[in-house]
Amino acid sequence: RNIENESHAETVYSIAFESMLEKGWSWFRVISEYENETSFHQVLKIQGFVNDFCVYTDPGAKEPTRKDMGWAHIIENIPIGQYVSRYPKSDIASLTALRGRGDDLESWVTGEHVRIAEYYYVDLEPAQLVRLVDGSGVWKEDIEEIDGIYFNKKTREPVPVQFYDEGKKPVERESLRRRVKWCKHNAVEILEGNPQKTEGRDMKATWIPLIMVAGRERFVKGQRRLSGMVRHNQEAQRVYNYLVTGFVEGVALAPKAPYVAAAGQIAQYKPIWDTLNTKNWSVLPYDPITKDMQAVPPPQRQSFEPPIQALGQGVAQFDSMIKAGFNISDSALGKRGSQESGKAMRLGKEHSDSGNMNWIDNLSRAKVHCGDVIIDLAASRYDTQRVIQIIRPDDERVEVQINEMFADNEGKTQIRNDLAKGKYSCTVTIGQTTATKRMESLQNMFGLMEADPSLFRMIGDLVLTNMDWPGAEKIAARLKKALPPELRDQEEGDQIPPEVKEQMKQLMQAYQELQQEFQEAQQVIEGQRVQSASKLEIARLQAQTTMAVAAAKFGSAEGINQLNIEFKRVAELLKDNRERQKLTQKPTQQ
């Protein structure tokens, strides 16, 4: 969340979403850069593109977000002076006229600019994968064996490798290791890449950090076609534009109503009749004349009415067709009918949202993949001890120390908040923001209190917590102190039944006893050189037991059952180790 906040990701998402609706696709990416010009700490940023057409990717990628792409280019044209300043040792920069090797690539080197490209590509290298006891795998080149025990080369921690029945050879298989690499080139030479500038540098990533926001995808005659929201409404929009143009032309070109007069009727009063449309004359004089002994009628106004009404009806009709093509109703646009209630408007808006949910889902997929890319890159970018800021779901900002070195009870060095440990996933919820949910919560709470005003004494602190005006939190804290003890305990998270508490107390005592036996057994193992597999199994069981204890602390029945199971397994293992200890001590006693 903090990475999104610092990157102004909402703007990036909004622009990408609008661009996808217009043409059927758009791009954004995740980049890593230094915090500032004087820092060695890298941070991740979400970045959009001004021009999506500068991105060229693997046409064989099939995923909606193109996460399975094998390569991608990002093209940029920079002025020649900037290019020479940035890459003074480049072969092209050393040419007097900036031509020569690039003559056959006129679009790359011109008299005004030089084109450079960022190139991402995936190398699939054959490698051996070693199976661990939990079913996962580790690359053989990342571990090493010391006295029959395998250790991680980087962290120096033991790795629980699974062996065949004889317990000597680990379980392995051949696999392909993905390595995402990056370089910058000018179609002639590599400008940035590995130190030798012979290939791209390893990004320590699983995916190319480019994310596509795809529109509606269809296959036409075996070829993939992407379309946006406006494509199928083009014909209706053309007719709408034609009718609106005809409406405006009809009104603009309609002549002002002229008078029809016989020759000589207004000749004497021509100055008055010439200013008829600019001055307000109370009387329009004319000369009565006759023709063939018949009186000629007086001058009469010739009226002309353009088909404004017909054109207006056509515009309204095609306006409705365009809205229907977009699955958007008038209520979704905030237009309320004369007999339409607020509930009906909400239903209309929900209907429109449901009809266009596919576009929102496309953005959601892109956000999920963006989160996966950030999690994948975070372990290698946030790998030093430092303080970072995180944002909790309620928008609370907290400073957190990561990669903090400390000594445990046994004096061993450990790392707290190590992002390189464990595997993580990302979920995205598209819909209401925290502020919107807070407002809805307030409305529902007010509705409850209107039905029963006495509820304020029990939920008043929650009502104030969801308000943002100054002093609301202090009032909520005071109201919380006035709650009955049973409600206050629930607010503090103490919701564990008494019988469960007693059971947990007994389990914790048993756990402490097993911990003591474990430490004794660990010392014996270190002294007697018991098989390494048992040592690693004890360490694994200890970790599982600790996790089960953490689950039991929340009063979970599953956590308590799991804790009992782990206790039994650890006790059996300790029993086996004691028997082995006796066997190793008998020859010494004789």
Side-chain angles (χ1 to χ4, degrees):
R1 295 188 190 91
N2 187 63
I3 290 174
E4 287 186 324
N5 182 70
E6 295 295 326
S7 307
H8 303 286
E10 286 303 321
T11 302
V12 176
Y13 297 151
S14 177
I15 294 176
F17 186 66
E18 291 177 4
S19 184
M20 178 269 290
L21 294 179
E22 291 173 356
K23 63 179 183 295
W25 52 269
S26 62
W27 292 93
F28 64 93
R29 65 172 172 170
V30 178
I31 62 171
S32 58
E33 60 184 17
Y34 291 104
E35 285 182 320
N36 52 62
E37 62 275 9
T38 60
S39 175
F40 285 92
H41 292 158
Q42 290 193 16
V43 294
L44 297 176
K45 294 288 184 67
I46 300 173
Q47 184 184 74
F49 292 96
V50 177
N51 178 19
D52 290 320
F53 291 95
C54 70
V55 181
Y56 298 83
T57 60
D58 180 5
K62 297 180 176 59
E63 291 287 336
T65 59
R66 304 304 187 261
K67 63 184 296 184
D68 57 337
M69 70 179 80
W71 57 266
H73 276 94
I74 302 175
I75 306 299
E76 178 187 9
N77 292 336
I78 63 175
I80 289 178
Q82 184 178 349
Y83 176 85
V84 174
S85 176
R86 189 185 302 180
Y87 306 107
K89 297 182 180 180
S90 167
D91 291 344
I92 291 180
S94 63
L95 298 176
T96 304
L98 284 175
R99 300 304 294 267
R101 294 182 63 180
D103 279 346
D104 56 336
L105 301 172
E106 295 184 359
S107 62
W108 285 75
V109 182
T110 68
E112 298 179 356
H113 71 265
V114 176
R115 175 173 295 176
I116 60 177
E118 293 184 59
Y119 180 38
Y120 296 92
Y121 62 99
V122 178
D123 269 351
L124 297 177
E125 302 176 355
Q128 289 294 117
L129 190 67
V130 179
R131 181 184 173 93
L132 303 182
V133 294
D134 61 356
S136 60
V138 63
W139 299 110
K140 187 174 183 179
E141 61 186 58
D142 293 340
I143 60 176
E144 61 179 350
E145 180 187 1
I146 302 177
D147 296 334
I149 302 177
Y150 285 87
F151 295 88
N152 188 299
K153 291 182 179 180
K154 183 178 179 180
T155 63
R156 311 307 303 171
E157 293 182 352
V159 179
V161 174
Q162 184 175 0
F163 296 88
Y164 287 104
D165 294 338
E166 59 271 17
K168 295 182 180 180
K169 185 179 179 182
V171 179
E172 301 179 7
R173 74 174 180 89
E174 294 183 357
S175 183
L176 293 175
R177 187 169 188 176
R178 289 173 57 92
R179 294 188 185 275
V180 178
K181 297 186 178 182
W182 173 92
C183 70
K184 188 173 288 187
H185 66 86
N186 57 14
V188 176
E189 58 187 327
I190 294 178
L191 304 173
E192 299 179 36
N194 65 348
Q196 297 77 24
K197 295 184 180 179
T198 56
E199 62 177 2
R201 62 169 175 256
D202 191 355
M203 291 189 60
K204 299 180 181 179
T206 305
W207 302 285
I208 293 175
L210 278 170
I211 300 99
M212 172 186 271
V213 185
R216 183 180 285 115
E217 193 167 1
R218 296 288 186 271
F219 281 86
V220 180
K221 296 182 180 180
Q223 294 185 348
R224 183 166 52 193
R225 293 288 184 267
L226 290 169
S227 62
M229 195 178 193
V230 302
R231 170 161 306 181
H232 300 290
N233 263 356
Q234 288 182 359
E235 297 303 324
Q237 184 68 50
R238 286 193 181 100
V239 177
Y240 179 87
N241 294 342
Y242 177 80
L243 291 175
V244 171
T245 302
F247 180 89
V248 174
E249 288 180 349
V251 174
L253 299 179
K256 294 181 179 180
Y259 276 85
V260 178
Q265 279 187 317
I266 60 174
Q268 185 178 351
Y269 311 101
K270 191 173 184 303
I272 296 177
W273 286 85
D274 287 343
T275 59
L276 179 62
N277 293 323
T278 59
K279 291 184 179 182
N280 188 16
W281 297 100
S282 59
V283 177
L284 295 177
Y286 71 98
D287 291 330
I289 60 175
T290 60
K291 185 176 183 180
D292 298 333
M293 304 300 293
Q294 296 291 332
V296 177
Q300 296 180 356
R301 184 180 289 274
Q302 181 69 29
S303 61
F304 171 77
E305 182 69 26
I308 300 299
Q309 184 176 2
L311 290 173
Q313 291 177 351
V315 169
Q317 181 178 355
F318 278 89
D319 178 76
S320 300
M321 291 179 63
I322 292 174
K323 292 175 183 176
F326 287 137
N327 289 322
I328 296 176
S329 61
D330 289 337
S331 57
L333 299 174
K335 187 181 295 185
R336 184 169 182 173
S338 58
Q339 298 179 349
E340 189 174 15
S341 64
K343 183 177 181 180
M345 290 186 64
R346 287 194 298 271
L347 291 175
K349 186 177 185 306
E350 292 176 0
H351 176 73
S352 297
D353 292 341
S354 300
N356 292 311
M357 189 58 67
N358 59 310
W359 308 105
I360 305 295
D361 288 342
N362 294 345
L363 178 62
S364 177
R365 292 192 200 98
K367 284 187 175 183
V368 170
H369 182 45
C370 178
D372 292 337
V373 170
I374 290 176
I375 291 173
D376 180 51
L377 296 175
S380 57
R381 271 57 175 183
Y382 296 86
D383 58 348
T384 57
Q385 183 173 344
R386 55 172 148 162
V387 176
I388 63 172
Q389 185 181 77
I390 66 173
I391 301 178
R392 300 193 185 280
D394 58 354
D395 291 337
E396 179 187 3
R397 299 174 184 270
V398 181
E399 302 290 338
V400 177
Q401 179 87 27
I402 62 172
N403 302 313
E404 180 182 6
M405 309 290 290
F406 71 98
D408 58 13
N409 297 332
E410 299 178 359
K412 296 182 179 180
T413 301
Q414 302 289 344
I415 301 178
R416 183 180 289 111
N417 295 332
D418 184 3
L419 299 184
K421 287 186 177 181
K423 293 183 179 180
Y424 307 88
S425 61
C426 173
T427 59
V428 172
T429 301
I430 300 292
Q432 297 172 324
T433 63
T434 303
T436 305
K437 292 179 180 179
R438 185 179 302 169
M439 293 300 298
E440 287 196 356
S441 298
L442 276 176
Q443 292 177 1
N444 294 330
M445 290 179 186
F446 284 139
L448 290 174
M449 289 187 295
E450 287 179 2
D452 186 1
S454 63
L455 286 176
F456 182 77
R457 290 179 294 179
M458 292 184 289
I459 65 174
D461 59 317
L462 300 178
V463 175
L464 271 296
T465 301
N466 285 283
M467 295 184 177
D468 294 329
W469 44 271
E473 294 182 358
K474 294 181 180 180
I475 298 176
R478 294 185 181 183
L479 291 176
K480 186 179 294 185
K481 292 179 181 179
L483 289 173
E486 59 273 12
L487 293 179
R488 195 182 311 125
D489 290 342
Q490 290 183 4
E491 283 295 318
E492 294 172 356
D494 190 8
Q495 303 178 12
I496 302 176
E499 59 274 11
V500 178
K501 287 185 179 180
E502 184 62 28
Q503 186 179 4
M504 287 179 56
K505 183 178 179 181
Q506 296 175 1
L507 290 173
M508 291 302 296
Q509 291 176 354
Y511 173 72
Q512 293 176 359
E513 294 176 0
L514 285 176
Q515 278 286 85
Q516 185 176 358
E517 290 191 37
F518 168 77
Q519 294 178 0
E520 295 175 358
Q522 188 76 2
Q523 294 175 0
V524 173
I525 291 173
E526 292 291 341
Q528 300 295 333
R529 305 294 298 171
V530 181
Q531 294 182 2
S532 61
S534 299
K535 175 182 176 182
L536 295 175
E537 181 68 13
I538 291 176
R540 184 177 66 85
L541 290 176
Q542 184 194 28
Q544 293 178 353
T545 304
T546 304
M547 293 173 61
V549 170
K553 288 182 180 179
F554 293 95
S556 169
E558 295 181 359
I560 293 176
N561 293 334
Q562 182 66 23
L563 184 59
N564 281 318
I565 294 173
E566 297 302 333
F567 279 162
K568 292 179 181 179
R569 294 179 63 184
V570 173
E572 292 176 359
L573 185 58
L574 291 173
K575 181 179 178 181
D576 293 341
N577 287 329
R578 282 195 293 270
E579 292 178 356
R580 291 177 183 175
Q581 178 182 352
K582 292 178 181 179
L583 292 175
T584 56
Q585 291 177 351
K586 282 182 179 180
T588 305
Q589 293 175 356
Q590 292 177 355

